Structures are given as C-alpha cells and as structure tokens.
Amino acid sequence: TRECLLTNAHAHTNISQAARQKNSDTFSCGLYTWRWKCSSAVTPRITSHYTICPRDKDPRWEGVEMERFADEADVVIVGGGPAGLSAAIRLKQLANEQEKELRVCLVEKASQIGAHTLSGACLEPSALNELFSDWKERGAPLNTPVTEDVFSLLTKKYRIPVPMLPGLPMNNHGNYIVRLGHFVRWLGEQAEELGVEIYPGYAAAEVLFHEDGSVKGIATNDVGIAKDGSPKDVFERGMELHAKVTLFGEGCHGHLAKQLYRQFNLRENCEPQTYAIGLKEVWLIDEKKWRPGRVEHSVGWPLNRNTYGGSFLYHLNEGEPLVALGVVVGLDYTNPYLSPFREFQRWKHHPFIAKTLEGGNRIAYGARALNEGGYQCLPKVTFPGGMLIGCSPGFMNVPKIKGTHTAMKSGMLAAEAIFPKVTAKDLASETAGLHVPEYEDNLKKSWIWKELYSVRNIRPSFHSYFGLYGGMVYTGVFYWILRGKEPWTLKHAGLDSAQLRPAKECTAIEYPKPDGKLSFDLLSSVALSGTNHEGDQPPHLTLKDDSVPVANNLAIYDGPEQRFCPAGVYEYVPLETGEGMRLQINAQNCVHCKTCDIKDPSQNINWVVPEGSGGPAYNGM
Amino acid sequence: MSRVLVGVKRVIDYAVKIRVKPDHSGVVTDGVKHSMNPFCEIAVEEAVKLKEKKFIKEVVAVSCGPTQVTETIRTALAMGCDRGIHVEVSGKDYEAMGPLQISKIFAALAKKEEASLVILGKQAIDDDCNQTGQMTAALLDWPQGTFASEVTIDGEKVKVVREIDGGLETIKISMPAVLTADLRLNTPRYATLPNIMKAKKKKIANMKPADLGVDEPPTRLAGVKVETVDDLVAKLKANGTI
C-alpha cells in the first residue's frame, strides 16, 4: 500500500525510537523482517548490503567474529590514480631527500594499478615535469606529441571547421596524447621503486574516526558476504589502516568523499558539483587512415544545443594504428529518454568520424563520470585527519577537458604540506588525526587555482537559451580576449539529479539500431570492458529505499537509469507475478563510472565499493 | 616431514576478452589483467586445508614464467603457503613452453624437495591442456588422482573421489602421489590484505630450468597430413612410434 511505502521510507527514524521502548531483541529481528515483509507485498527486496541493512541486529551475523586486524602507517592514500600516486611519490621523494623514515600505504580497488583508469587523454606535462624532470629517461609512456589540432561543429551530415587559435583553452600545442591507464601504471612502478607500499585489489570501504571526530584511517572491504547479506564460510573482515593523515583520491564522485562532505560539512560554501559522463572506445584502424598525433574535437550533432557535450578522437603513436575516441555528455541534461551510450554509438556514423573508423576494429570500451563544476564547485579540501585530492574535489579544467595535470599537482601540493607536519618531532596537533590546512592555502597560491579561476565562466555560459552557441560565443569573446578576468562569476544550474523533466513532458529519442561495424549494442560493449565481480555478494548499487525506483523513477521519469548507465546494470523487468515492473540490478556489469549515483532523480542510489579487484579490466584506457 | 608442492599458473583473467596480436604470433598479454588460474586456486586451498588439518607440515607454491609470476606466488603465500619457488622462464622460451617441460620441472622439484604430494589444478584456462598433472605423475612414476572432488588422507594412502564422465569414481592411491583439483573440491579462501602483507616476508626462491636439469623446449616441428588410416599407420611404423 502507499502508506506502507511512505512509512517504509521513514522506517529507520521512527522505529528506532520505538525500539528503545520495546524489547530490543524481538523488535530488532522484527525490524529486519517487517521491512522485508512490507516491501515484498509491493516491491521485491533488492538491497542487502550492510550499509543499508545493518548487521548488528541481524540474527544471521550473531556470533560472527567482527574484530579487524589493524596496522599503522604515517600516511594512507585511498586511490591509485594520478593524484594518489603523485602524492605518494612526492612524499617519498621528500623523505629520501631529507633522509627521514616515512611509511606510505596506498590502497586501490582495481586488481592492478591502471585497470580502473579511463580518460581521453591529452596530457599537459606541466605537473609531470615538476614531479620527474627526467620522465623521458625513466620511460614515461608519453609517446605521442600532438601534431594537429582540429575542432569541428557537426551537423547531421556536415562539418563546420572552427579555427583552433592559440590561446583558446582547447589548443593542445605542447601536449601529449597518452593512454592514461599505462601512464598511471608507470607512475605506480615509480612509486614502488621509491618505497611506497601499494596494495591493488583492496578497496577502502569505510572511513575510521577517532573519538574526537578526526579521521583515523580507513578499513578495507569485508570479503565473503553472500548475495542475501549473510556470511559465507570464507567470510573475513577487512583490515584497518590507521594513519596520521589520510588522503582521499577516489576520483570523480568518490563514495567515501560523499560521506566526508556530510561529516565535515565541506560543501557549505560552494555550489553542488556538476558532472558529465565520458564514454570511450579504442579502435585499431586501417593504417592508411592513421595520422599519429592528430587531435580532433567536435561539438554539435548528435546532441542538441541545450545538451552540453562533445566528442574527441585522438590518433596514438605507439606502433599500432590506434585511435582513442569518445563522447562526453553533460549530466545536467533534461530529457530522461536520452541515452549517452546510444548518442556515442550514433555519433560514430557521422561521415567525418566514420571515414576514420571504416575498416577498423574496436578493441576496448569503457565509461566514467567526470567533473564539470570547476572553480565554483570546489569544496573545502582539508579536515582533521585527512584531505581530498585530485578529481575527487574536482580540479578539472573543463573547456580544456584536462584534469590529470591539476590532479597530479594537487597530490604533490598535499604531499608537500603534509611532509613537515608528519615528520615533525612533536606532532603538535589539536586533534588525534592531523589537520593540515596549509594544503588548501598552497592550492590557492598555485597555478591550479589561477587556471580554474580563468575558465570558471565557460561551462556555466552554456546555460542560456542559446545553449551551445551562447557558450561558444562567450568563450570566443570573454575567454580568448579577457582570459577570465571578467569580474563576474556565473552560476551552474544546480544538482544534476534535479534537472530531469518528467517523461511525459519530453519526446522519446529514436536511436538507430547498431550496425555491428561502426556502432554496437550495449552488452557486447560491456564485455569488452572486461568488467566482472564476484557474483555471490550483495549488490554494491545500494538503494536507500527499494520501492522508490518503480514508484518514482519509472513512474515519473520512465526509468532513466536504464539509459544513462553505460553498462546495462539497471533493467526494469515485468514482475513474475503478473502486473507491474520491478528493478533488476545486474551489479556484475558495473564499470564503476558513478553516473547512477550522480544522475538518479530520486538520489536513492548509493554506490558503495564492491569486493576489491572487481570492476573493469581496462588496459591503457 | 610431509611436504606438498602446489603448482600455480598466472593466466589472463577469465573475464577479459582475448585479442590476437596483429601479426598473429600470439595473444596480447601486455597490460592485460592476469590472475591465478582458478583451478590452481582450488589446489592451493586444498593444500592449505591439509596443512591446517595437520596432515602435512609445509606447503611450497611453485610457478614457472617471467618476473610477473611472483605476484601469483605471493597470492598463494597469502592464502597460506609457507614458501615459494619461482622457476624463471621468459620471452620466447616462455611462449614455447608447454605441459611437457613444466612436468619435467615439477618432477625434478618434487624429487629435490622430497614432496609427498604434488597438487595441481586440473587444467589451465588459457590452453585447457589438462596434461601437466598426468605427465608429472608419469615422469615420477607416482600414482595420480586427477579431477579430484574430494581428497582424504588415510595414513600412507590418499582416498580420492574423481569426477569422471560416468559419475564419481573413488580410488585409493599410495603416497607420494600427484593430485589435480577439479571445481568442486573446495571454495578457495580470499587472500586478505593482512595476509598479503605477511606474505611479503615469506621467501620465494629463484631458479632456472637448467638448475633442475631441464632443457629448453624443443622447436615445434610441422605436422603432416595423411589421406587414409593406412597411411597414418604406415607413417607411425616408419618413424618407430609403433
């Protein structure tokens, strides 16, 4: 019944009051079964993860040993991407220079460093030059300097060239086309050589706190929990890693960062972050069409002028005729019938793109959310016991579509701020976990801040009636001439999840069927990402309320998660018992892009980390 | 006293799509996600279980291949093996290596380490050969319990329940013996982080096949097609095979 659904949503708060009065044993079992019984009458149970269904009152967990093994390090870093690895490397460089001992531990949920990394990418080597001035001798995989830079405005059949004047943010002179996954793998090797302890295959699942509220460290994921939430024979608790300072470099929309924003109120003085989804493929093309070093960007078709987005196509120079290509779609789109994946597939049929791909073979696919907020959305990045680095708080330069150099620099600045404090004889801290506000000060004085400030108005300039064209005019006039010195700061449109219009107000989009040569279906694409997860574990796409998808997302927005998920995780299928639909979550397909957590109009989906080493197996994406 | 040798193979992860190299010389392995062969995981688990039940004293994990296989040996150590042996084979030699050469290496090691049991996975998921266990037993002239779905130690003998085409077969073989693990033998435990950290302190010995008296794999000769069965028999008689 509807009342049941409404009270179910508030079950936790109301019941907990009553529980204190009633006999807690019988009631706590009751809480577990009451919620289940109530929901199965209308909605079959979907979520069994312990973050939603707590284990301390669950009878199946009685008597299970929940003690965790704990270890101490000086600094713990969550996430083995450009930011985390640069921070680790910088810390060890300083430690070796000053002959001080420093234990740096880095945990990464992917099975190997680089396996969850996905980006275009055109790397600006500024931060790398600062980190390793001898990166070439060390064999950093920057093999493709940019030789040509082409920008187009696409219409359905034609292409309007846009001059790539020097000074425009998209200009790539001096940059390198890289396979970021390989670059990150190389960074990992450098870090290990310097003595960083890297543990791939172990996800940080929980933030640990001292009594005084400061961050104590993290705990890795538990293993061996069955799909229904009960412990298996092989169940083992995760491990606790304690540190003086913990760096969170989870990338765009990290799940622990989401918690920290609430815990420490880090977002009270900034706008809510806005995002885009990037889908990418790597193709082996016909040698005759291969032009190593060529960078192509486009805007326009197939997206309409009010949907932010664009495409990229980069010709790599690493022996084989490889191109990396993809489409980025702003997640502030309003039409729930839009499918970023299918926009990507149909974009490849445009004559200007198709001519490069014809006769070629697709060898990789993947997707990831990225930040679009820039300067206006930067939160507070330090708190007692920890700090946020990289794309997690979000230092991406949106018009340049580059975030790697700023992520690396933020990691390096964090390391430089932490090092003196963490190696000082007298820790002199008010809180048990070290607070290092100097990191934020250093950021504000660095080139990251200047860069982000100068491009702060470009993305929001797309929010007018003129959409794309307004944005291009704004960039051409204000950025190219004034370099961001205009005295005003435009605002974004608000939370991405609040932008969807009800389905009945929008027209469904007719997408062409994939032809199997240039465009492909979703499931064969997901197979190419190499993604996999242990099947018998609770789905890590957790729902705060199992009944909301059908009641809200499907009813009002026609289930947009079926379309925005680039891996086919969400499906609305008919109920076995006849009338009605239910949400089926194919958690094994997940490529860890985080789009669902961002775009869900009900904000009911909470992405948590699955068992470590699950997820995509990207190779040089 | 009682020592068990467990073989572990580093293979391309089962969920990854295989891509053939453009020059057709093999499959792309560089940067591709690899993991321990699932049947080897089951073999390691069985060996560690036997140690926990106190039937054996020491479990030694062995792998043959380039430097990267040490990661696989570390995972085996994290699951409970006591020490590791890395038989180094790389490059062209590694690509040419097959079950016969591996079996020779294992046979030599089994004798050297005075193992009472050699436990292997029944087959590797990349070549699906299903030959190494059987060849190792033959070279050592030891009994073999292959496709094991249940292993019980009974004094000096091992009772093995084997999964065969017709159903289940129970045999009793004397030790020393070679066992190969099938899917339903056990559910492997996870290699948890504290164990991985402890495994970093466990020893992995490094050696080459030549140290064990094993030569390089011979170059593979081209085959010959025949038209009839009589031709086949004649050819086999001619080269002395029968």
Side-chain angles (χ1 to χ4, degrees):
Chain A
T1 63
R2 195 156 180 277
E3 273 148 311
C4 189
L5 290 172
L6 287 170
T7 50
N8 201 18
H10 299 291
H12 292 288
T13 36
N14 294 343
I15 297 279
S16 55
Q17 296 250 34
R20 276 178 235 132
Q21 286 141 27
K22 291 207 172 188
N23 179 315
S24 51
D25 283 324
T26 51
F27 207 92
S28 50
C29 269
L31 167 66
Y32 178 84
T33 52
W34 178 84
R35 185 165 184 264
W36 197 90
K37 252 195 253 166
C38 177
S39 48
S40 72
V42 192
T43 324
R45 178 127 166 283
I46 302 173
T47 305
S48 54
H49 198 271
Y50 63 81
T51 49
I52 306 282
C53 308
R55 291 176 290 194
D56 49 355
K57 301 284 195 289
D58 187 335
R60 301 170 303 178
W61 285 88
E62 224 179 285
V64 175
E65 181 58 62
M66 296 299 260
E67 265 299 305
R68 276 189 290 223
F69 184 77
D71 202 359
E72 292 265 341
D74 292 299
V75 181
V76 162
I77 302 177
V78 174
L85 288 168
S86 301
I89 289 171
R90 195 76 196 101
L91 279 169
K92 275 307 213 178
Q93 281 177 340
L94 288 167
N96 294 344
E97 261 172 50
Q98 302 187 23
E99 289 172 0
K100 291 217 167 109
E101 291 278 318
L102 195 69
R103 184 173 183 207
V104 180
C105 288
L106 187 147
V107 287
E108 161 59 48
K109 62 174 163 57
S111 56
Q112 53 195 49
I113 299 286
H116 287 187
T117 302
L118 184 140
S119 183
C122 263
L123 180 69
E124 209 181 276
S126 49
L128 180 60
N129 287 331
E130 291 182 31
L131 190 63
F132 288 117
S133 53
D134 57 346
W135 55 259
K136 218 184 174 104
E137 287 77 36
R138 285 171 179 264
L142 271 67
N143 304 316
T144 314
V146 174
T147 54
E148 305 177 73
D149 216 335
V150 172
F151 197 94
S152 323
L153 172 56
L154 297 180
T155 63
K156 187 154 186 201
K157 294 212 198 90
Y158 305 105
R159 166 191 172 249
I160 303 166
V162 175
M164 224 347 79
L165 304 165
L168 275 175
M170 302 290 268
N171 187 292
N172 273 300
H173 182 74
N175 298 334
Y176 292 83
I177 304 172
V178 293
R179 299 179 71 171
L180 195 62
H182 287 168
F183 177 69
V184 168
R185 183 178 63 176
W186 174 83
L187 277 179
E189 288 162 12
Q190 304 308 305
E192 278 199 306
E193 262 177 53
L194 285 167
V196 178
E197 288 176 53
I198 301 190
Y199 297 111
Y202 297 98
E206 209 183 301
V207 184
L208 303 168
F209 297 94
H210 287 288
E211 297 254 320
D212 63 9
S214 60
V215 170
K216 188 176 175 184
I218 52 102
T220 59
N221 58 285
D222 293 346
V223 292
I225 304 180
K227 199 165 179 151
D228 63 5
S230 61
K232 295 193 279 197
D233 289 330
V234 285
F235 170 75
E236 272 197 65
R237 273 297 250 166
M239 175 178 161
E240 293 190 8
L241 278 172
H242 301 165
K244 300 184 183 121
V245 193
T246 310
L247 270 61
F248 293 87
E250 297 169 286
C252 174
H253 205 77
H255 79 112
L256 293 181
K258 194 173 167 184
Q259 229 189 304
L260 291 165
Y261 291 141
R262 276 199 307 266
Q263 183 84 15
F264 292 105
N265 221 351
L266 301 169
R267 301 203 73 99
E268 57 186 343
N269 292 323
C270 65
E271 288 186 45
Q273 183 67 259
T274 153
Y275 302 89
I277 178 175
L279 300 106
K280 175 180 172 181
E281 287 174 358
V282 177
W283 282 62
L284 203 58
I285 56 170
D286 187 341
E287 253 195 83
K288 297 194 269 307
K289 313 204 175 156
W290 185 35
R291 297 164 70 165
R294 182 177 163 92
V295 162
E296 289 176 26
H297 288 115
S298 83
V299 287
W301 191 85
L303 300 172
N304 67 26
R305 69 165 195 275
N306 291 110
T307 303
Y308 182 83
S311 76
F312 64 91
L313 198 153
Y314 304 147
H315 292 245
L316 288 154
N317 189 4
E318 301 193 353
E320 302 181 279
L322 285 179
V323 294
L325 64 147
V327 155
V328 173
V329 178
L331 285 177
D332 57 350
Y333 68 81
T334 53
N335 187 345
Y337 291 107
L338 192 138
S339 163
F341 173 78
R342 301 193 79 174
E343 298 289 351
F344 175 32
Q345 296 304 315
R346 75 166 164 174
W347 164 79
K348 285 187 277 174
H349 284 282
H350 189 281
F352 187 60
I353 314 300
K355 71 176 201 276
T356 308
L357 299 180
E358 250 137 33
N361 263 328
R362 183 176 73 153
I363 61 170
Y365 164 82
R368 183 72 170 92
L370 46 136
N371 301 297
E372 294 272 312
Y375 181 80
Q376 293 89 324
C377 301
L378 287 172
K380 225 171 141 295
V381 290
T382 65
F383 42 89
M387 46 184 65
L388 300 167
I389 56 175
C391 277
S392 182
F395 299 109
M396 200 175 110
N397 182 328
V398 179
K400 262 195 199 177
I401 44 167
K402 288 179 180 57
T404 311
H405 63 305
T406 46
M408 288 175 70
K409 181 68 177 170
S410 71
M412 290 156 65
L413 288 172
E416 285 158 11
I418 296 172
F419 185 76
K421 293 194 107 167
V422 100
T423 50
K425 287 257 164 19
D426 170 22
L427 281 179
S429 175
E430 285 174 0
T431 49
L434 275 183
H435 189 189
V436 190
E438 290 83 348
Y439 164 52
E440 190 150 350
D441 301 331
N442 291 355
L443 273 177
K444 292 191 173 143
K445 292 188 219 135
S446 72
W447 49 258
I448 299 180
W449 217 257
K450 289 193 198 62
E451 203 179 304
L452 292 181
Y453 186 77
S454 70
V455 297
R456 73 196 181 287
N457 284 325
I458 298 184
R459 176 69 175 90
S461 69
F462 283 72
H463 290 309
S464 72
Y465 173 76
F466 299 104
L468 168 67
Y469 308 116
M472 289 179 77
V473 167
Y474 189 97
T475 308
V477 173
F478 289 100
Y479 183 78
W480 195 59
I481 300 174
L482 290 177
R483 291 280 190 272
K485 291 197 178 59
E486 64 269 30
W488 56 84
T489 299
L490 299 174
K491 286 182 112 124
H492 292 292
L495 270 179
D496 288 333
S497 53
Q499 304 303 318
L500 277 182
R501 299 217 312 271
K504 61 181 195 291
E505 290 174 28
C506 305
T507 25
I509 305 180
E510 272 288 320
Y511 288 105
K513 270 183 84 121
D515 73 345
K517 291 206 269 292
L518 283 175
S519 52
F520 302 90
D521 66 300
L522 185 60
L523 289 179
S524 58
S525 308
V526 176
L528 265 188
S529 69
T531 192
N532 194 27
H533 296 85
E534 161 61 50
D536 193 13
Q537 66 172 307
H540 63 280
L541 297 324
T542 66
L543 304 172
K544 291 185 208 148
D545 185 333
D546 282 353
S547 58
V548 164
V550 172
N552 200 39
N553 291 27
L554 186 60
I556 305 178
Y557 303 99
D558 197 47
E561 56 268 59
Q562 304 170 92
R563 297 185 195 92
F564 60 56
C565 174
V569 170
Y570 300 97
E571 273 186 283
Y572 282 97
V573 295
L575 278 168
E576 287 91 354
T577 56
E579 294 236 352
M581 306 285 267
R582 64 175 178 89
L583 177 65
Q584 175 165 287
I585 298 186
N586 305 314
Q588 282 182 277
N589 288 10
C590 182
V591 291
H592 297 206
C593 75
K594 315 296 177 61
T595 302
C596 55
D597 196 310
I598 295 166
K599 190 59 175 170
D600 177 17
S602 323
Q603 286 291 280
N604 188 38
I605 300 175
N606 194 39
W607 190 99
V608 297
V609 79
E611 273 179 19
S613 84
Y618 297 142
N619 179 10
M621 283 292 262
Chain B
M1 278 159 43
S2 224
R3 186 174 292 138
V4 167
L5 230 59
V6 178
V8 295
K9 186 176 182 185
R10 178 178 181 263
V11 297
I12 295 182
D13 187 85
Y14 72 90
V16 169
K17 264 220 149 89
I18 307 286
R19 182 162 74 98
V20 176
K21 283 194 208 158
D23 60 4
H24 297 276
S25 62
V27 297
V28 178
T29 52
D30 185 43
V32 175
K33 178 179 177 186
H34 283 68
S35 33
M36 192 190 289
N37 181 38
F39 295 108
C40 298
E41 286 181 347
I42 299 174
V44 172
E45 176 64 23
E46 196 58 26
V48 174
K49 272 198 162 75
L50 288 175
K51 184 176 116 170
E52 287 172 346
K53 291 189 200 146
K54 308 239 193 282
F55 286 114
I56 51 168
K57 278 281 178 80
E58 196 188 25
V59 182
V60 184
V62 182
S63 193
C64 308
T67 0
Q68 294 96 315
V69 306
T70 49
E71 289 160 22
T72 316
I73 301 177
R74 286 263 175 245
T75 310
L77 293 173
M79 286 171 75
C81 299
D82 299 290
R83 60 185 166 88
I85 297 178
H86 171 206
V87 182
E88 210 171 327
V89 184
S90 38
K92 282 271 173 294
D93 287 340
Y94 183 57
E95 284 166 30
M97 208 165 65
L100 183 55
Q101 208 204 7
I102 304 285
S103 317
K104 289 182 181 169
I105 294 173
F106 271 105
L109 275 172
K111 285 203 211 106
K112 183 164 179 268
E113 297 282 338
E114 294 172 347
S116 355
L117 279 177
V118 174
I119 311 185
L120 306 170
K122 72 170 177 180
Q123 64 198 58
I125 60 169
D126 52 3
D127 54 22
D128 278 336
C129 281
N130 191 345
Q131 296 165 1
T132 309
Q134 292 86 333
M135 286 180 174
T136 311
L139 288 168
L140 288 164
D141 199 23
W142 285 7
Q144 51 182 270
T146 52
F147 312 105
S149 65
E150 206 184 299
V151 168
T152 335
I153 304 234
D154 186 7
E156 285 301 304
K157 294 205 184 271
V158 188
K159 187 179 96 173
V160 182
V161 178
R162 304 177 60 227
E163 295 207 8
I164 60 172
D165 291 339
L168 296 172
E169 179 193 51
T170 311
I171 58 171
K172 211 167 202 177
I173 54 178
S174 25
M175 295 209 272
V178 175
L179 304 175
T180 70
D182 206 327
L183 190 63
R184 279 160 280 270
L185 181 56
N186 58 49
T187 308
R189 65 196 63 191
Y190 287 85
T192 53
L193 186 54
N195 290 329
I196 286 272
M197 288 179 167
K198 286 184 204 142
K200 292 209 166 170
K201 303 197 184 84
K202 295 184 182 174
K203 281 184 145 290
I204 299 183
N206 197 300
M207 55 185 78
K208 295 236 155 53
D211 302 335
L212 299 164
V214 178
D215 332 294
E216 263 138 47
T219 355
R220 196 173 164 153
L221 298 166
V224 175
K225 272 189 179 166
V226 292
E227 293 292 304
T228 67
V229 176
D230 293 322
D231 282 348
L232 175 63
V233 174
K235 280 224 152 57
L236 288 173
K237 280 194 173 146
N239 74 7
T241 313
I242 50 168

